[in-house]
Every structure is written in C-alpha cells, then in structure tokens.
Amino acid sequence: MARDPRYDILFQPMRIGPVTAKNRFYQVPHCNGGGYRDPSAAAAMRGIKSEGGWGVIFTEQCELHHTSEITPFIELRLWDDADIPMLAKMADAMHEHGALAGIQLAYSGVNGPNLYTKEVPRAPTALPIRTFTNDPVQARAMDKQDIRDLRRWHRNAFRRAKQAGFDLVCLYGAHGFGIIQHFFSTATNQRTDEYGGSLENRSRLMRELVAEARDAVGDSCGITLRLSLDEMVGELGFSNAEVRDMIEMHGDLPDLWDLAHGAWEDCSGPSRFKEEGAQQSLVAGIKQLTSKPVVGVGRFTSPDVMVKQIKSGNLDFIGCARPSIADPYLPKKVEEGRIEDIRECIGCNICITGDMTMSISRCTQNPTFMEEWRKGWHPERIAPRGASESVLVVGAGPAGLEAALALGRRGYRVALAEAGTELGGRVARECRLPGLSAWGRVRDYRAYQLGKLANVETYFDSRLTADDILGFGFEHVAVATGAEWRRDGVARAHVVPMPIAAAMPIFTPDDLMDGRVPDGRVAIFDDDHYYMGGVLAELLAARGAKVTLVTPAAYVSDWTRNTLEQGAIHRRLAGMGVEIVLNRAVAAVGADHVETACVYTGEGRDLAADAVVLVTARVGRDTLMRDLAARRAEWADAGIKSVRLIGDAEAPGPIAWSTYAGHRYARELDAPDIGDALPFRREVATLSAN
Ligand code: ADP
Ligand code: SF4
C-alpha cells in the first residue's frame, strides 16, 4: 500500500546544519539498560530502528570524560579512544538504512557522583550531587582552569564522535543531567563571575562549548542542544519563560534545538499522568524565536497528531523515544500506509525500569526490544514454523495473545481458547481502572493483528479442562491461564497467611475489578509495591471512601520509582485525601480494625476499618497444568508432544513479563534443544594483556 498523502509532510528531508535527515522521524536519545556493558545489543537495537525508517537515530547519554560519570547507571562512555570502536559499531548500525547517526554527549557535573572513577565531581557551584540515589558526595566548584579543561575535553569528545562516524553531536542539558543546564539554572549556578548571574552569563559555557564543537567538527556534523523546557523547581531554577528568553538570545547558536520537559519524570511521564503531546503548551511559539529546526517529544504514536505538530508550526521534527521502542517500524508503517499495524506505546515506563535497575530494558508492547542481538529477535520478522503444525493456546491474556500472534505469524494452526467473553485477560480488566486505559492497547494491537491471520481461531466461553485438551489432538499446548490476587495476606511481610478475623470484609484487587467495591473506612494493605495499591486507593477515594493505604515500604507504590511516577502517585493520593502510612505492615486483621506494626521497632497501632483490601501477591492459576501433568501418560495417545505453562500462570509478574513469555514460547517452539547452553548472546570483557 502507498502512504496516505496527508502524511507526506512527515517524509520531507530536513537539513540540520551540514547534514540532511531523510524525514522528520527523530528518535531522541533513550536509555536501554545495556549501554557500555552490552554494546552490541544496543547497536543492533539502533540498527533495527534504521531499518524501521527513522530519519535520525540517537544514542543514549554518553559520558564524555572520566571526571564525570553516573555509576551505577549504565549508559555509554567516550572517555578515550578505546571507546571509539563500540560507538562506531553503533553509528554503523544507525547508518545501515540511511538514518543520520547522533550521539548525545553529557558532562554530568552535579549529577555525576563518580562512584567508579573516584574523581572529585566538578560543578558550577559546590553542592551535593543531585541524582536518584542521594549519594553522600559533593561536587566542588569549577575554577577558570577547570572550565578551560572542560572545553578541551569537549573538543576531544567531538573529534572522537566524528571519528566513530556520527553525523550529529548533541550537548545534553535537559532533565537535570547535563552541565550546560547546571550552568544555566540559578538553582545550581550561584557563581558571581562571568559564568553566573545574568542569563547571558549563565549561557556562556553553552556558547563556548558550541563554539568548540563548530571548530572541531562543525564542517561535517550537525550540532544540537538538548534543553529542558522548564526546570520545574519553582523560582529557584529556570522557567519556561526564561528558556524562551535564552533561545531568543541564542536563536541561531546550534543547528537544531531539541526540547524536553523538566526533570526526566516530567518528560517521560507515564500515560497514567500524561497525555500524548503533553508538552504542547511549553513548546508552542518557540519555533518562532529561531531559524533553526526544533524537535520535541510527547509520546507521539499517532501520525495525525504528528502532522498537526508540524502544520501548526510547533515542531520541525517529531521526537520519539518510547514510541520508537514499542514500534521501531513506526515510520515505515506510516510510509507503507499501514497505520493500523503500529504497535502503540502504552506509556507504562517498563522500558525505563531497565535503566533504573541497571539490568537490560524490556518493553511491554515489543518483547523483542534489546533482544535483537542477544536472541536474534526481529520485531517484524519471525522464522516459519518448525516440524509441528498445531498449537492450542489456553487463555487470552497478554501471554496467550502474544503467543498466539507470534505462533500464527510462524504459520502454525493455532486455537486460542479463552474462558471469558473478551480478549486481554488482566489488561482488559486493569484498563478500566483509573488512569490505566492505555493498558488496553496491549489487547487492541494483538486482537487486530490476530484478525488478519486465517490460521488462528479464537474461541470464547471456553474454560478448558484436561479432558477437553486430551480430546482435541493439538500437538502443543501453551497454558497461559493467568493469576489471581491472594486473599490471605501472603507476600513479603507475611510468608504464611496472616491472622484475619472472619467478621472483617476482605477484598482483593480482583474483587474490585469485578465491581465488588467496599465503602466507608477502607484500609488498603499494599505489600505488592507496584501500581495496583495506589490505583485502587485512587478508585476508592474517588467513590467517597475514607482510604488509608498502609505499606511496609518507605514510599507509596515503592517500585514505581523505577517507572518515574512514584512522586506523581504520592501527590495524587495525598491530593485526594488518602492517608498514607509508610514503614508499617499490617500484622493482623481484627473484626473492626487492622493491627499495624512499625517495620523497624514493631511498635503496634490499631487502625479502625470497615473493610480491608489486600494488595499483596498473586498466585498462578496452574490447576489445568497440574491436571494435565498428572495425566502425562495419556499425552502421546492424544497426539500431544508438549504442554507448557507460561506467563502469570507460571510466575506472576508485570504485563511485560507475560508478553515476553508468550513471545519466547512462540519463538522457541520446535527449536533444537540447547541443553545447558546460555539462551542468549552476551559480551564478555576481553582480558587485558598485562
Ligand atoms: P497473563 O498475563 O499470563 O497472560 P492473564 O491473567 O492476563 O494472564 O490472562 C489469563 C487468561 O486466561 C484470562 O483471560 C482467563 O480468563 C483465561 N483462563 C484462565 N483459565 C482458563 C481455562 N481453563 N481455559 C481457558 N481460559 C482460561
Ligand atoms: Fe511504551 Fe511501556 Fe514499551 Fe516503554 S515499555 S515503550 S512505555 S509500551
């Protein structure tokens, strides 16, 4: 199919200084949890984006000098020539299908604790390091010699970046992570010399560094500035108005302005708190202050919204990080007139947790993310089926849906049996909770794609038993029957059931999702620590209940610090009048109260309650699997070669774990047994010769 002419504007070539991007699809820098530890995995991931049609592809943040690094977080490094080959591999992968290759260079200043290099951090003003981990480390103030050194280090980094093959060098000054922002902001720059005070002075370092870039690589590389649109720290720092003044003052300084909101939490807000295009009002009008192109972000997944951004004069390039992770082929799908095939980001921020936990990123929607090299998984291509022909998938939650889709694409004859009357399993239920409507995209994308496959049949109202399955004759059975929330309080604080008085009405998240909702004084015990406890507190408070959320953690929805939404959750709950009780476990549930205990001292305190909601752990629905396993002797006669438990039924986890499990099952079906071998490639450090 040809592309719709209304999207033509997205495919116009655009100049960025001395180089030209083939279209306006601009993959802004994003982390991936792999970085310098997994350089080939990161390079292959960027290469897939090149294949997918992006006009510009950036690396993640790259530390440009060893005196400023952000251990424990794993990004890229360009400390000396030894790092060039790794970065050259990435630039090559970006170039493979015609994208411009960009590198985001960062000197982390007051954001870099230097835990690895043990160097004393340097910043405009002597202050404690500002990062996620409250390290007991301070930076010293830079003197004039330090600034001269910094300019030289930048020049070296620009040259090395060019040598590695990059077309665009970006100076990172957004999200509180880069030194040009630290100089620009009065919150971190309290200097009294020519680098502090007036806006002109606070922009001096930025001007000098751009001049170094022009001098070193400006003839062949585009120079971009990535800046925060508003620092979001009130009067202490800079506002959107001051950013506009600065851009007006320096309109033609870089070859492109790359604008990103506030701190990372503000910029990459999850869909629970931020709509598509949420930065619109902060960006509007900035393009009129400069003759240089402007890129902005906003979790853009809709080509119509993208076109509007261009036509309304807001942006020249459409910046995407998460949308390019969920669907690296987004531009190609627009180009080929396949809009309905776009796998839209759901805004869950699971990808970001890979960085925050220094592991390797996953994506809920795209299970192949960061597995392009490790496992050879391509987001759009999959091997044809192996020796077998037929597969029964039991359960149409994220695991079952993804398994059925990937198996269907491989050409198996697939039956997808669902006990209920709708597709989606947990996402169909959870997307009806406050703020989680985008979760429905996990189902919607797969339901639509399954509809295109003649070899996949879906059956509703089909709660299958072992007898049913033994009678069908499918060669392989994937049991993706999901999980249920526990009613006995078992999770981390209680590893055996907690004492619960029979008279107290007990609810689980499943009850609430089924419409059985308590009112009056409701105590929520959150020993799960992800989003569910906070979401249910929100649901109940909105219905007028008097909600107290008790958690043994030091933060409400503790794990959501990794999805960058913990602060927003606390603010929302506090704003709705939810009482938040931290560092306390529910020790026991009485007939009209819960007994709480301080996790440090054990000090007890009763909390009067009319109902208790237990958000603790889930238990896999594995009865069907156990029934089938008990009748293993009958499998061969029934024509069954394998039965596998996958997804939440095997071990409950976030939705991304289920789509991954379903995808992996489909990829590995009929594959040769690898025995004890590692199921993925990895990079092992080469030992030094001396
Ligand atoms: P996952 O995240 O692992 O995909 P879900 O709980 O979202 O798990 O989905 C499991 C799905 O399996 C639910 O839609 C549920 O109705 C369905 N299911 C559970 N038991 C059976 C069964 N015996 N036969 C068919 N479907 C089942
Ligand atoms: Fe979007 Fe979630 Fe995938 Fe990140 S993990 S790209 S937020 S769907």
Side-chain angles (χ1 to χ4, degrees):
M1 258 200 300
R3 84 171 172 242
D4 187 324
R6 74 174 187 273
Y7 304 133
D8 285 354
I9 197 167
L10 299 172
F11 291 88
Q12 286 169 345
M14 295 288 296
R15 281 193 75 78
I16 308 174
V19 294
T20 302
K22 67 175 175 181
N23 60 36
R24 298 180 189 255
F25 292 94
Y26 190 113
Q27 183 244 274
V28 291
H30 69 72
C31 58
N32 49 70
Y36 64 77
R37 187 196 52 210
D38 299 285
S40 293
M45 176 268 290
R46 306 286 181 201
I48 293 286
K49 307 226 195 177
S50 183
E51 235 181 279
W54 296 84
V56 175
I57 303 173
F58 261 89
T59 64
E60 59 270 49
Q61 167 171 2
C62 179
E63 298 162 358
L64 65 86
H65 197 258
H66 72 274
T67 53
S68 189
E69 50 94 8
I70 56 168
T71 302
F73 301 99
I74 302 176
E75 314 287 325
L76 290 174
R77 287 176 173 164
L78 187 47
W79 290 355
D80 63 16
D81 288 352
D83 292 316
I84 294 177
M86 154 181 94
L87 289 163
K89 183 167 189 175
M90 193 164 294
D92 285 350
M94 293 166 171
H95 283 146
E96 217 163 307
H97 297 266
L100 292 180
I103 183 166
Q104 183 187 41
L105 294 170
Y107 192 88
S108 305
V110 80
N111 177 239
N114 293 351
L115 302 177
Y116 179 83
T117 59
K118 304 182 182 175
E119 297 286 347
V120 174
R122 300 158 188 224
T125 295
L127 278 172
I129 297 300
R130 299 158 72 86
T131 177
F132 295 102
T133 45
N134 288 330
D135 307 292
V137 176
Q138 298 200 187
R140 70 165 166 80
M142 297 170 76
D143 63 21
K144 295 290 165 50
Q145 184 55 44
D146 292 327
I147 291 177
R148 279 192 289 277
D149 289 343
L150 186 66
R151 291 177 61 166
R152 191 178 63 258
W153 298 336
H154 272 79
R155 205 159 52 232
N156 293 340
F158 295 134
R159 287 210 190 98
R160 289 187 176 116
K162 181 175 168 177
Q163 207 182 323
F166 288 97
D167 312 292
L168 298 168
V169 293
C170 167
L171 280 172
Y172 194 19
H175 305 144
F177 294 161
I179 197 152
I180 53 175
Q181 173 169 1
H182 307 150
F183 267 87
F184 180 47
S185 168
T186 46
T188 42
N189 178 354
Q190 292 141 22
R191 298 175 76 98
T192 50
D193 62 2
E194 67 268 33
Y195 289 92
S198 69
L199 181 56
E200 200 189 342
N201 282 357
R202 284 182 279 121
S203 319
R204 187 176 308 278
L205 180 77
M206 182 178 79
R207 281 195 302 278
E208 291 176 350
L209 295 180
V210 171
E212 296 293 353
R214 287 243 176 273
D215 204 38
V217 298
D219 56 332
S220 54
C221 293
I223 297 156
T224 79
L225 282 174
R226 185 152 221 233
L227 301 176
S228 276
L229 281 160
D230 187 326
E231 205 180 9
M232 301 295 288
V233 295
E235 302 221 319
L236 270 177
F238 59 82
S239 63
N240 187 242
E242 195 172 29
V243 172
R244 285 166 193 264
D245 290 346
M246 196 278 283
I247 294 178
E248 196 167 15
M249 194 183 277
H250 300 100
D252 289 344
L253 182 69
D255 295 318
L256 172 141
W257 294 98
D258 176 349
L259 304 173
H261 184 35
W264 195 15
E265 293 87 328
D266 305 304
C267 193
S268 297
S271 55
R272 186 172 165 192
F273 295 99
K274 301 258 181 182
E275 296 291 315
E276 180 172 358
Q279 304 182 20
Q280 163 102 13
S281 61
L282 293 164
V283 172
I286 290 188
K287 224 178 93 54
Q288 282 69 58
L289 306 176
T290 167
S291 64
K292 303 295 169 140
V294 171
V295 59
V297 290
R299 219 174 57 249
F300 297 119
T301 56
S302 147
D304 291 299
V305 174
M306 297 177 187
V307 167
K308 217 166 131 204
Q309 289 292 328
I310 310 276
K311 288 204 166 152
S312 63
N314 261 351
L315 301 175
D316 297 293
F317 282 96
I318 302 301
C320 295
R322 290 170 291 173
S324 77
I325 292 173
D327 198 339
Y329 265 55
L330 193 155
K332 210 171 182 112
K333 288 176 182 174
V334 180
E335 168 96 75
E336 293 174 355
R338 299 195 290 128
I339 305 302
E340 356 32 84
D341 289 339
I342 294 173
R343 199 169 38 238
E344 288 185 287
C345 166
I346 70 166
C348 60
N349 284 2
I350 280 292
C351 46
I352 290 169
T353 70
D355 185 52
M356 296 297 284
T357 59
M358 306 104 202
S359 44
I360 199 156
S361 287
R362 304 178 183 245
C363 169
T364 303
Q365 280 285 59
N366 173 13
T368 68
F369 181 58
M370 290 310 283
E371 301 302 338
E372 302 86 348
W373 179 82
R374 294 209 310 172
K375 291 197 158 170
W377 290 0
H378 190 284
E380 299 294 313
R381 288 195 292 275
I382 191 161
R385 72 174 170 77
S388 327
E389 285 172 16
S390 63
V391 191
L392 169 66
V393 178
V394 188
L401 280 174
E402 178 63 27
L405 178 58
L407 289 164
R409 286 176 171 163
R410 290 191 64 187
Y412 288 96
R413 184 166 60 80
V414 182
L416 174 60
E418 166 53 46
T421 53
E422 62 177 350
L423 295 177
R426 63 179 289 189
V427 294
R429 292 154 64 77
E430 292 182 22
C431 77
R432 294 190 275 263
L433 292 171
L436 302 187
S437 63
W439 271 214
R441 291 176 170 183
V442 173
R443 167 202 56 203
D444 298 343
Y445 167 73
R446 288 167 182 79
Y448 181 77
Q449 296 298 320
L450 280 173
K452 296 204 290 189
L453 295 175
N455 53 329
V456 182
E457 291 282 352
T458 303
Y459 302 90
F460 292 107
D461 281 321
S462 304
R463 181 171 296 284
L464 300 188
T465 62
D467 267 340
D468 295 332
I469 293 171
L470 287 163
F472 287 152
F474 285 92
E475 291 168 271
H476 300 281
V477 183
V479 180
T481 43
E484 270 158 33
W485 287 92
R486 298 183 74 123
R487 208 171 273 284
D488 56 7
V490 169
R492 293 181 171 93
H494 296 269
V495 291
V496 294
M498 71 162 85
I500 299 177
M504 173 64 85
I506 299 290
F507 294 81
T508 70
D510 288 318
D511 294 327
L512 273 68
M513 287 188 274
D514 287 338
R516 290 191 294 280
V517 184
D519 48 25
R521 295 166 304 173
V522 183
I524 297 178
F525 178 44
D526 185 357
D527 199 15
D528 167 60
H529 309 288
Y530 193 16
Y531 56 84
M532 187 55 82
V535 166
L536 296 184
E538 198 177 325
L539 173 82
L540 292 168
R543 292 169 59 113
K546 189 175 169 341
V547 184
T548 306
L549 188 151
V550 182
T551 178
Y555 295 87
V556 67
S557 301
D558 189 9
W559 201 73
T560 65
R561 289 190 290 156
N562 297 313
T563 48
L564 304 183
E565 60 191 317
Q566 195 279 328
I569 292 172
H570 192 120
R571 267 192 299 282
R572 178 167 289 176
L573 297 191
M576 293 179 88
V578 173
E579 191 181 338
I580 296 169
V581 178
L582 304 173
N583 299 321
R584 284 193 163 266
V586 169
V589 175
D592 59 0
H593 67 280
V594 295
E595 292 170 25
T596 72
C598 170
V599 294
Y600 300 110
T601 64
E603 183 247 334
R605 200 180 297 162
D606 286 355
L607 173 71
D610 303 315
V612 173
V613 179
L614 293 176
V615 186
T616 50
R618 289 180 293 153
V619 55
R621 282 191 208 100
D622 60 357
T623 322
L624 177 61
M625 181 68 210
R626 280 193 278 111
D627 291 349
L628 283 168
R631 295 171 67 178
R632 188 179 286 268
E634 297 169 53
W635 291 7
D637 284 348
I640 296 176
K641 292 182 189 157
S642 78
V643 181
R644 276 276 313 279
L645 193 61
I646 61 169
D648 286 334
E650 184 182 18
I655 302 162
W657 273 239
S658 287
T659 49
Y660 179 83
H663 195 83
R664 180 176 186 184
Y665 173 80
R667 288 266 176 186
E668 294 179 356
L669 193 67
D670 285 328
D673 185 356
I674 60 164
D676 289 343
L678 208 60
F680 54 85
R681 284 200 284 179
R682 70 183 169 132
E683 239 141 13
V684 179
T686 318
L687 283 181
S688 164
N690 42 39

